[in-house]
Amino acid sequence: MGATDPDRPPRAKRLVVLVSGNGSNLQAIIDAAADGRLSAEVVAVVSNRPDVFALQRADAAGVPAVHVGVHPDEERSDYDARLADVVAGFDPDFIVLAGWMRLLTLSFLGWFPERVINLHPALPGDLPGTRAVERAWDEAVAGTRTSTGVMVHLVPDEGVDNGPVLGTATIDIDTSSTFETFAALVHATEHRLLVDTLSALCTDTPDRTEVSA
Ligand code: GRF
């Protein structure tokens, strides 16, 4: 009876989640893993910022919460090598960037090919970078767009919010509503898409995932 025993249930995938702030997407992952919607275990949460709420969420869930701060004058590649060391120590199957607000270089990415997954609140090729939700809303108010979306993708290299797409959801923008209502819809859609996409990946059925807002 070896590791390939077909009767043995597959080992839950090990996720390390990288965060920089609130951690509502981290919470969605933790909750889905706890109630069985996601066949995975969050084995660590790593933040580049101290004292963020995401680290408290990890603590509350009994998950190791690690702060890897940037040293003054440190080269980006040196930070990324240290980060890779910490993350590799948790032996992850996948590394999930869930509100991770720092560009990663190949000093990190090179250690985890096809294993780093990013969540971005816009559709592929649209609105890369920060404040994508605000920019989509502003354009809708200005009359130059009617919809946006969210996506989950692999991170192969240093491109910003770009890489093989694993899942998408399109969201219509109702400008008769408020920005807060729109932003809440975007985040709720992110939570569902991220869990559904990870669930497909963790059960080895990684067909592209689509959810509706
Ligand atoms: C999300 O909108 C994510 O797509 C973006 O930052 C936000 C993080 O939210 N990169 P949270 O920390 O998961 O609540």
Side-chain angles (χ1 to χ4, degrees):
M1 304 261 281
T4 54
D5 177 1
D7 295 331
R8 179 184 290 185
R11 185 191 75 146
K13 300 290 188 199
R14 297 171 62 84
L15 306 182
V16 170
V17 183
L18 268 54
V19 297
S20 299
N22 174 39
S24 67
N25 285 285
L26 164 68
Q27 192 67 57
I29 296 170
I30 288 172
D31 292 347
D35 69 20
R37 280 175 295 138
L38 178 57
S39 169
E41 183 187 355
V42 180
V43 294
V45 172
V46 180
S47 173
N48 61 320
R49 296 185 183 145
D51 305 326
V52 292
F53 190 50
L55 290 175
Q56 292 181 38
R57 294 181 191 266
D59 268 342
V63 174
V66 185
H67 168 227
V68 180
V70 181
H71 296 159
D73 302 326
E74 184 175 33
E75 296 283 341
R76 189 171 282 275
S77 58
D78 290 337
Y79 175 83
D80 284 1
R82 287 199 298 117
L83 182 69
D85 225 34
V86 171
V87 169
F90 291 101
D91 190 22
D93 292 297
F94 296 109
I95 297 138
V96 185
L97 312 183
W100 171 259
M101 303 302 286
R102 188 180 158 87
L103 294 179
L104 290 169
T105 65
L106 288 171
S107 285
F108 180 88
L109 298 170
W111 288 100
F112 308 106
E114 313 250 328
R115 286 196 279 155
V116 181
I117 294 155
N118 185 44
L119 168 70
H120 182 61
L123 289 172
D126 193 23
L127 300 168
T130 58
R131 302 187 69 257
V133 181
E134 288 85 346
R135 285 185 283 148
W137 176 259
D138 289 348
E139 289 178 17
V141 169
T144 56
R145 79 160 58 226
T146 57
S147 65
T148 183
V150 302
M151 70 164 159
V152 177
H153 65 95
L154 288 170
V155 185
D157 56 31
E158 297 167 10
V160 177
D161 299 319
N162 190 22
V165 176
L166 299 173
T168 58
T170 300
I171 301 169
D172 291 330
I173 306 177
D174 175 9
T175 51
S176 70
S177 171
T178 63
F179 172 74
E180 286 69 27
T181 303
F182 166 64
L185 175 62
V186 171
H187 294 309
T189 308
E190 283 189 311
H191 301 161
R192 281 192 298 128
L193 181 69
L194 184 58
V195 167
D196 287 359
T197 306
L198 289 174
S199 175
L201 270 179
C202 291
T203 51
D204 294 322
T205 52
D207 279 341
R208 199 154 148 162
T209 302
E210 298 196 9
V211 306
S212 47

